[in-house]
Amino acid sequence: MAPVHVVGAGLAGSEAAWQLAEAGVAVVLHEMRPVRMTEAHETEGFAELVCSNSFRADDPLYNAVGLLHEEMRRLGSLILRAGEANRLPAGGALAVDRIGFSAAVTAALAAHPNVTVLREEVTGLPPAAWGSVIVATGPLTAPGLAAAIRETTGEESLAFFDAIAPIVHRESIDMDVAWMQSRYDKGGGADYVNCPLDRAQYEAFIAALLEAEKGSFKDWEANTPYFDGCLPIEVMAERGPDTLRWGPMKPVGLRDPRTGRRPWAVVQLRQDNALGTLWNMVGFQTKLKYAEQARVFRAIPGLERAEFARLGGMHRNTFLNSPRVLDATLRLKAAPHLRFAGQITGVEGYVESAAIGLLAGRFAAAEAKGEAFSPPPLETAMGALIAHITGGADAETFQPMNVNFGLFPPLPNPPKGRERKRAYCERALAAADAWAGRPHVLPVPREAA
């Protein structure tokens, strides 16, 4: 049985290599550090955490990322095992000692008899002669490899500033204020949620936007320009008080059915996933700090009680348009010997990246051994996440996404409030255990972070 090559020993690559090795498949793990360092990494250790040291909430019964932790633990995740062994006090969150965590992951893989580590840079697209390959090179993919991926996939651009607009849970939009309509009623349907602002509301919104505290770029991001067509809304607002009203907030072609008149300005939201549970604020990419986004955007009529599945942002990243170029098992349609894993697939966050690495490793192991292996059920956190990036998201507007309950199929007759989250988690863990062929056991409840 030929070895599987894994390119990149970040969280996703390390997890993929571990899953392969534990399944009895030989792995060649390629890591370019320290031969070539990135702008953000400081060590040659595997799974180095370059930003926060938190894996976020660890509550498996009331939080979507905590649920993802639990599903991964039950599948023997190296990342979760090393995280637990190097845990720091952080309330209900799983925070880790960076040095100890990376050392634990590095040692486990270096000691595994099925893993061979090569410290070298893969400068181009791995050839078919290598056989099965998992590319897990993350948001700082080396330029040569990024160019090769871009050429193979036919995508116009791979490395650029994300222009991420906030995403709102559909059920939290006040439809007594907002209404459904397409501009000029094009297409014969009502495809957008429209939140109207009168002149005073619009002027107050612009003032709040300009006064809000903004985030800064990291040093290694500072020289990477964003597209002029994807400017942050606060930058557009600085160009003049009416710029947004004749840009993403233009009211032309729309009429408020409650007044019979065209509003002074409109915020539109467009469906963002096939389930219809998540809606994207059109043109609202922003560099505002998260707390400021929630404060300013909840002043928009109809969004006063908005629950955000994702807040906006702009930062340097490298990721595929996965709904367009990957199949359901993370293989590149244009070169099926290649699988992709981690942040390069369009997931956001340490745990999400590792989860996709776990699945990529299991897919590749099953393929190498001639065994069948299907993706986890859509009701699970891992299943919802991989389904979103490989087809559930709109390829035209695809941007990186964290795991959240908006990715899950809706519950029939869901309970209210906090118990709705528990119902999602209990359903997910039952489905995950059935899929893995394990006896179903609920975890001990933890306080939500």
Side-chain angles (χ1 to χ4, degrees), residues 293-311:
Q293 290 185 47
R295 177 182 67 83
V296 173
F297 297 156
R298 285 186 179 131
I300 296 168
L303 300 183
E304 293 90 346
R305 296 185 296 277
E307 294 179 13
F308 295 97
R310 180 188 74 195
L311 286 162

Side-chain angles (χ1 to χ4, degrees), residues 128-371:
W130 279 20
S132 180
V133 180
I134 297 172
V135 179
T137 47
L140 298 176
T141 297
L145 180 55
I149 294 169
R150 184 166 56 245
E151 182 178 353
T152 301
T153 59
E155 295 297 298
E156 291 183 1
S157 180
L158 192 65
F160 55 98
F161 266 106
D162 292 344
I164 301 176
I167 289 181
V168 177
H169 288 274
R170 173 65 170 78
E171 63 185 9
S172 70
I173 302 171
D174 186 353
M175 296 306 294
D176 288 335
V177 175
W179 79 96
M180 300 290 301
Q181 185 186 1
S182 296
R183 204 177 300 279
Y184 297 111
D185 298 314
K186 287 183 177 178
D191 296 332
Y192 291 80
V193 170
N194 299 279
C195 297
L197 295 87
D198 61 26
R199 184 169 186 169
Q201 290 168 330
Y202 174 78
E203 290 175 350
F205 172 77
I206 296 298
L209 190 61
L210 294 174
E211 293 169 2
E213 190 175 1
K214 300 163 184 65
S216 58
F217 290 121
K218 299 180 179 68
D219 290 342
W220 50 270
E221 294 179 315
N223 295 322
T224 305
Y226 39 68
F227 298 135
D228 194 61
C230 296
L231 290 173
I233 56 169
E234 60 271 18
V235 172
M236 286 190 276
E238 289 170 354
R239 296 183 172 185
D242 287 325
T243 303
L244 284 175
R245 198 166 76 86
W246 298 113
M249 296 179 69
K250 62 180 179 288
V252 296
L254 298 168
R255 192 170 298 278
D256 189 336
R258 295 168 185 81
T259 65
R261 298 190 302 273
R262 187 175 80 180
W264 186 256
V266 167
V267 174
Q268 287 197 306
L269 295 95
R270 176 177 53 224
Q271 185 172 332
D272 200 73
N273 67 339
L275 295 172
T277 54
L278 301 176
W279 288 69
N280 186 300
M281 295 178 68
V282 178
F284 265 59
Q285 57 273 358
T286 179
K287 195 63 178 170
L288 296 184
K289 291 193 171 181
Y290 284 170
E292 293 288 79
Q293 290 185 47
R295 177 182 67 83
V296 173
F297 297 156
R298 285 186 179 131
I300 296 168
L303 300 183
E304 293 90 346
R305 296 185 296 277
E307 294 179 13
F308 295 97
R310 180 188 74 195
L311 286 162
M314 301 193 76
H315 57 90
R316 179 177 165 185
N317 202 349
T318 302
F319 68 96
L320 294 166
N321 190 332
S322 293
R324 182 171 290 150
V325 302
L326 297 184
D327 71 11
T329 65
L330 301 166
R331 292 181 302 187
L332 191 66
K333 294 175 184 177
H337 70 290
L338 301 177
R339 276 189 170 82
F340 284 80
Q343 199 165 335
I344 198 169
T345 66
V347 293
E348 191 76 54
Y350 290 148
V351 182
E352 290 87 340
S353 295
I356 297 301
L358 185 155
L359 289 172
R362 290 195 163 223
F363 288 141
E367 186 174 75
K369 297 163 73 174
E371 299 172 353

